[in-house]
């Protein structure tokens, strides 16, 4: 450690620009991977964090110097720092951290290559460009902070759903950019010869632009994807509203009929009582109860939203010859938006009913279970599946309805809502039964903050 301090801080073999570059890299990473509270206290805390990280970076460089015995392994210390900070200090989602770190780390070394020609140009004209205020160092520092701002400005953190293929593509581009620098170092003295530096600047600048454009496209695709899901959800809500209107009107007509029948029922019972024909009265009541038993099968779990949805879906299932079995043990109030809870249950139950309709089942039955355990709500929906279709195809959950563009987003909406509340969705098939398991954390928005990749009023209905 003493030898490292002698080399870098006393003898200054690499100069002050080396130290400033590392400090700028650390500060850019810290500002990129965490939010800054714009108050005097918040700014002081962030400065203290940067200084603490500077001490840790010095210790890390010292350890690496003792182990490797070389002063040109800064790429390793910068890699360890960005990975360590992302894992230990950043509160962003894993997907956000992976993309940000890979792009920032790879462009950091491209920055050095892009900055050097400007310093060389000034050197050729008799101006020093590598000192404390050298153009090369200043430009590298500016590019660090530009990249940190750019990656944070177009971050996908606020989107609850991010394409995995997009994440893989961005990591692959970053890896190719790093490989280009390794290839340059291997081929510079052999194949490229005198044109090595010029080739490397062109390649590095091309990769730098590619990563900027690729990251922006990744952001736009993620945003468009979420917006499309929200639009489809709103269209599905409009359909559901119409269906519920028709169902409510039918129920009102049925209730009018029932009221009329009950009036006649009461008058007949009164007449039998007055005539003391108790045997006829008992037979009439037994027959009436058996015929109207279905009217007593009403779900009342204490939660108004769940009652409304489940009873509506039960009526819709009955009209299609499907039996809905329920087991619901939940509190009277749940810390979820009513619109999101509606959307979640509607999509799960509609998918299950669609599966029952698409197969050749006799008296199909689907089940719904809702139960709270600890701080989590567990929802399980089961329905029979057609064994003639391969399991891989059945798990794709492709809709058979005419408007596939709208209905095909149902499972994605369920996943988005579950992820918003720190939960997950799991699908499985066993013994010809399809099961959808949903888990969501029952924590209010105020106590959870923004750690779960909060979606703004997503419009999910």
């Amino acid at each position: 450690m003493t030898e490292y301090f002698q080399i870098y801080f006393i003898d200054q073999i690499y100069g002050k620009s080396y130290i400033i570059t590392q400090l700028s890299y650390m500060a850019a990473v810290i500002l990129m991977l965490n939010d800054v509270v714009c108050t005097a206290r918040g700014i002081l805390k962030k400065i203290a964090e940067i200084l603490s990280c500077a001490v840790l970076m010095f210790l890390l460089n010292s350890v690496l110097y003792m182990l490797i015995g070389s002063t040109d392994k800064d790429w390793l210390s910068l890699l360890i720092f960005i990975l360590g900070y992302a894992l230990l200090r950043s509160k962003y989602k894993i997907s956000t951290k992976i993309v940000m770190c890979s792009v920032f780390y790879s462009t950091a070394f491209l920055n050095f290559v892009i900055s050097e020609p400007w310093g060389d140009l000034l050197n050729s004209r008799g101006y020093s460009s590598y000192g404390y205020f050298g153009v090369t160092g200043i430009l590298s520092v500016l590019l660090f902070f530009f990249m940190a701002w750019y990656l944070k400005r177009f971050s996908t953190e606020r989107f609850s759903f991010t394409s995995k293929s997009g994440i893989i593509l961005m990591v692959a581009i970053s890896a190719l950019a790093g490989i280009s620098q390794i290839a340059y170092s291997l081929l510079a003295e052999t194949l490229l010869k005198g044109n090595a530096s010029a080739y490397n600047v062109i390649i590095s600048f091309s990769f730098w632009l590619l990563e900027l454009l690729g990251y922006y496209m990744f952001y736009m695709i993620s945003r468009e994807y979420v917006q499309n899901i929200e639009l489809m959800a709103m269209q599905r809500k409009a359909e559901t509203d119409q269906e519920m209107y028709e169902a409510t009107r039918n129920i009102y007509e049925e209730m009018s009929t029932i009221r009329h029948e009950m009036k006649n029922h009461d008058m007949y019972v009164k007449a039998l009582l007055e005539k003391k024909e108790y045997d006829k009265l008992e037979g009439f009541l037994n027959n009436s109860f058996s015929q109207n038993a279905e009217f007593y099968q009403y779900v009342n779990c204490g939660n108004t939203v769940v009652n409304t949805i489940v009873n509506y879906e039960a009526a819709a299932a009955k009209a299609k010859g499907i039996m809905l079995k329920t087991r619901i043990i939940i509190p009277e109030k749940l810390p979820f938006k009513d619109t999101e809870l509606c959307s979640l249950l509607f999509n799960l139950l509609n998918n299950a009913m669609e599966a029952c309709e698409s197969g050749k089942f006799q008296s199909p039955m689907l089940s719904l279970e809702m139960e709270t355990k600890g701080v989590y709500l567990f929802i399980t929906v089961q329905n029979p599946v057609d064994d003639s279709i391969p399991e891989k195809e059945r798990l794709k959950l492709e809709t058979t309805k005419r408007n596939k563009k709208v209905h095909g987003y149902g499972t994605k909406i369920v996943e988005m809502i579950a992820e918003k509340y720190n939960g997950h969705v799991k699908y499985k098939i066993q013994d010809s039964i399809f099961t959808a398991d949903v888990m969501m954390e029952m924590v209010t928005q105020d106590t959870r903050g923004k750690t779960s990749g909060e979606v703004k009023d997503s419009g999910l209905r």
Side-chain angles (χ1 to χ4, degrees):
M1 186 179 299
T2 305
E3 185 177 356
Y4 176 80
F5 185 81
Q6 174 74 29
I7 292 174
Y8 283 93
F9 291 91
I10 298 179
D11 296 342
Q12 295 184 6
I13 289 180
Y14 277 76
K16 295 178 182 178
S17 60
Y18 172 84
I19 300 171
I20 293 174
T21 300
Q22 281 212 341
L23 286 173
S24 302
Y25 175 92
M26 288 185 299
V29 168
I30 292 170
L31 295 174
M32 177 182 70
L33 292 175
N34 264 331
D35 295 328
V36 180
V37 180
C38 295
T39 61
R41 184 178 180 182
I43 294 173
L44 288 175
K45 285 179 66 176
K46 192 60 64 175
I47 293 173
E49 184 179 15
I50 293 173
L51 294 177
S52 299
C53 288
V55 174
L56 291 175
M57 181 64 96
F58 168 74
L59 295 175
L60 175 62
N61 281 325
S62 301
V63 171
L64 291 176
Y65 180 76
M66 288 187 292
L67 295 175
I68 302 174
S70 174
T71 58
D72 60 351
K73 302 297 181 184
D74 52 316
W75 61 269
L76 181 57
S77 62
L78 297 182
L79 176 62
I80 294 174
F81 175 78
I82 193 171
L83 292 179
Y85 189 85
L87 291 173
L88 300 176
R89 292 290 299 166
S90 179
K91 296 180 180 179
Y92 291 164
K93 295 183 298 184
I94 295 295
S95 59
T96 303
K97 291 191 283 191
I98 289 174
V99 175
M100 276 188 165
C101 290
S102 61
V103 174
F104 186 85
Y105 180 73
S106 61
T107 54
F109 291 94
L110 298 178
N111 290 345
F112 294 129
V113 180
I114 295 171
S115 304
E116 286 176 357
W118 301 100
D120 293 337
L121 178 63
L122 290 179
N123 276 340
S124 65
R125 295 182 176 274
Y127 301 98
S128 176
S129 62
Y130 289 98
Y132 184 71
F133 294 104
V135 172
T136 299
I138 292 174
L139 189 56
S140 296
V141 169
L142 291 177
L143 288 175
F144 281 150
F145 286 102
F146 168 77
M147 285 305 302
W149 169 83
Y150 184 82
L151 295 176
K152 191 163 186 147
R153 167 63 180 81
F154 299 108
S155 171
T156 58
E157 176 65 15
R158 64 177 177 271
F159 302 141
S160 62
F161 199 91
T162 307
S163 171
K164 293 181 180 178
S165 58
I167 296 173
I168 295 172
L169 178 61
M170 288 309 306
V171 173
I173 293 175
S174 300
L176 287 174
I179 292 172
S180 72
Q181 293 305 299
I182 297 174
Y184 163 73
S185 62
L186 294 175
L187 301 176
E189 300 299 328
T190 57
L191 299 179
L192 299 178
K193 297 181 180 179
N195 296 323
S197 180
Y199 281 127
N200 193 32
V201 171
I202 295 172
I203 292 172
S204 298
F205 186 69
S206 300
F207 269 111
W208 188 79
L209 287 178
L210 179 63
E211 292 203 64
L212 257 66
L213 293 174
Y215 184 80
Y216 182 73
M217 291 301 298
F218 171 67
Y219 167 82
M220 292 298 295
I221 290 172
S222 298
R223 190 179 71 171
E224 291 293 328
Y225 188 79
V226 172
Q227 288 178 346
N228 284 338
I229 292 179
E230 294 172 0
L231 178 61
M232 298 304 172
M234 292 174 66
Q235 293 181 21
R236 178 67 185 116
K237 179 184 179 295
E239 290 184 1
T240 303
D241 289 344
Q242 180 64 28
E243 292 172 3
M244 290 195 71
Y245 168 76
E246 295 293 337
T248 303
R249 187 177 65 178
N250 292 335
I251 291 172
Y252 178 79
E253 293 175 356
E254 288 180 9
M255 290 298 295
S256 299
T257 303
I258 291 171
R259 280 198 300 268
H260 180 73
E261 290 179 354
M262 287 187 68
K263 182 180 179 180
N264 296 334
H265 178 281
D266 293 341
M267 292 176 64
Y268 184 66
V269 169
K270 183 180 179 181
L272 292 176
L273 283 172
E274 289 175 350
K275 295 178 180 180
K276 298 182 180 180
E277 296 180 1
Y278 300 117
D279 292 339
K280 286 186 178 181
L281 177 60
E282 183 180 1
F284 174 76
L285 290 176
N286 288 336
N287 183 58
S288 177
F289 181 79
S290 62
Q291 289 181 353
N292 298 322
E294 61 184 80
F295 294 114
Y296 300 100
Q297 297 175 357
Y298 178 80
V299 174
N300 186 8
C301 64
N303 185 287
T304 304
V305 176
V306 175
N307 287 342
T308 303
I309 299 167
V310 175
N311 284 298
Y312 165 74
E313 290 292 331
K318 181 188 171 186
K320 298 175 182 178
I322 303 170
M323 179 180 177
L324 174 60
K325 179 182 176 183
T326 60
R327 177 179 173 272
I328 304 175
I329 307 172
I330 58 174
E332 184 177 346
K333 292 185 178 181
L334 292 171
F336 311 116
K337 290 183 179 180
D338 291 349
T339 53
E340 292 173 338
L341 189 58
C342 285
S343 182
L344 187 72
L345 292 175
F346 269 132
N347 282 296
L348 288 172
L349 292 172
N350 286 343
N351 287 341
M353 277 195 284
E354 185 180 339
C356 290
E357 291 180 276
S358 62
K360 298 178 180 179
F361 307 110
Q362 292 184 352
S363 302
M365 182 181 72
L366 61 91
S367 67
L368 166 67
E369 293 186 6
M370 297 180 66
E371 186 176 2
T372 57
K373 295 181 181 178
V375 295
Y376 289 94
L377 170 67
F378 293 88
I379 304 174
T380 300
V381 176
Q382 292 184 323
N383 59 267
V385 291
D386 191 349
D387 290 330
S388 63
I389 304 174
E391 181 174 337
K392 186 176 181 181
E393 295 296 321
R394 284 177 278 165
L395 285 172
K396 287 182 179 179
L397 301 176
E398 292 185 356
T399 183
T400 58
K401 296 181 181 179
R402 181 179 299 176
N403 194 350
K404 292 188 176 183
K405 202 168 186 179
V406 174
H407 294 277
Y409 277 89
T411 55
K412 296 180 180 66
I413 293 170
V414 172
E415 291 173 5
M416 287 179 64
I417 296 172
E419 289 180 7
K420 177 178 178 179
Y421 292 98
N422 292 335
H424 69 271
V425 183
K426 182 180 179 182
Y427 303 108
K428 65 179 179 180
I429 295 177
Q430 187 175 5
D431 299 330
S432 300
I433 298 295
F434 178 89
T435 303
D437 286 312
V438 180
M439 182 192 74
M440 296 193 298
E441 187 179 9
M442 295 193 303
V443 180
T444 61
Q445 193 69 26
D446 294 336
T447 57
R448 183 171 62 251
K450 297 182 179 180
T451 60
S452 63
E454 172 187 351
V455 181
K456 295 180 180 178
D457 187 6
S458 58
L460 300 181
R461 302 291 189 267

